[in-house]
Amino acid sequence: MSYLQKLIQMEQLLYSQRLKEIRNYLDISIAKMAKQLDMSESTLKSYIRNDRTASIDFLAKLHEIYKVNANWFLTGNGDMLITNKIDDTLIEKIEQIVENKFQERGL
């Protein structure tokens, strides 16, 4: 087996592990997850067992339905799920802009 083939095999194993992490985090059965993703249980199981490589369409569905961070799924970097939280730095910048505008208008 070539180095590239081994690398691809390792990446696929990581995808399988990350898919298991998602299921565990969401506390969802394979049957329910397959239904929500509009796929057969056997296909989902094949992804989980690493018998089959998940497609980009599958990743898009994970993102759309569960808000899975594609960067995390592909690389392991970042948070598992994308949230709508706004970080404190952004809030501070917005407050400063608003305060400056009030001061410019003498309010």
Side-chain angles (χ1 to χ4, degrees):
M1 184 181 297
S2 74
Y3 175 76
L4 182 58
Q5 289 171 321
K6 287 180 183 179
L7 187 61
I8 291 170
Q9 190 176 41
M10 286 176 29
E11 284 298 316
Q12 289 172 340
L13 182 60
L14 290 173
Y15 300 158
S16 172
Q17 290 173 344
R18 289 187 189 118
L19 188 52
K20 290 174 189 172
E21 286 182 53
I22 294 166
R23 277 196 55 244
N24 288 335
Y25 179 82
L26 297 172
D27 192 27
I28 190 171
S29 69
I30 290 174
K32 185 172 182 178
M33 187 176 208
K35 184 175 181 176
Q36 290 175 341
L37 293 170
D38 193 29
M39 64 180 9
S40 70
E41 285 183 48
S42 63
T43 298
L44 182 57
K45 286 178 185 178
S46 71
Y47 293 159
I48 292 169
R49 287 190 313 261
N50 196 34
D51 293 339
R52 192 170 160 191
T53 304
S55 68
I56 193 72
D57 292 334
F58 175 74
L59 179 55
K61 283 185 180 182
L62 283 177
H63 173 74
E64 179 183 334
I65 294 169
Y66 303 116
K67 303 301 181 216
V68 170
N69 180 346
N71 186 47
W72 172 83
F73 190 81
L74 295 171
T75 68
N77 295 323
D79 295 330
M80 178 190 303
L81 304 178
I82 294 175
T83 61
N84 291 329
K85 67 181 178 184
I86 300 174
D87 70 8
D88 292 336
T89 306
L90 181 58
I91 291 172
E92 288 173 14
K93 288 179 182 178
I94 293 170
E95 288 174 344
Q96 186 63 44
I97 291 169
V98 169
E99 184 177 324
N100 289 344
K101 291 295 178 186
F102 279 125
Q103 287 177 357
E104 286 173 8
R105 293 185 174 126
L107 301 173

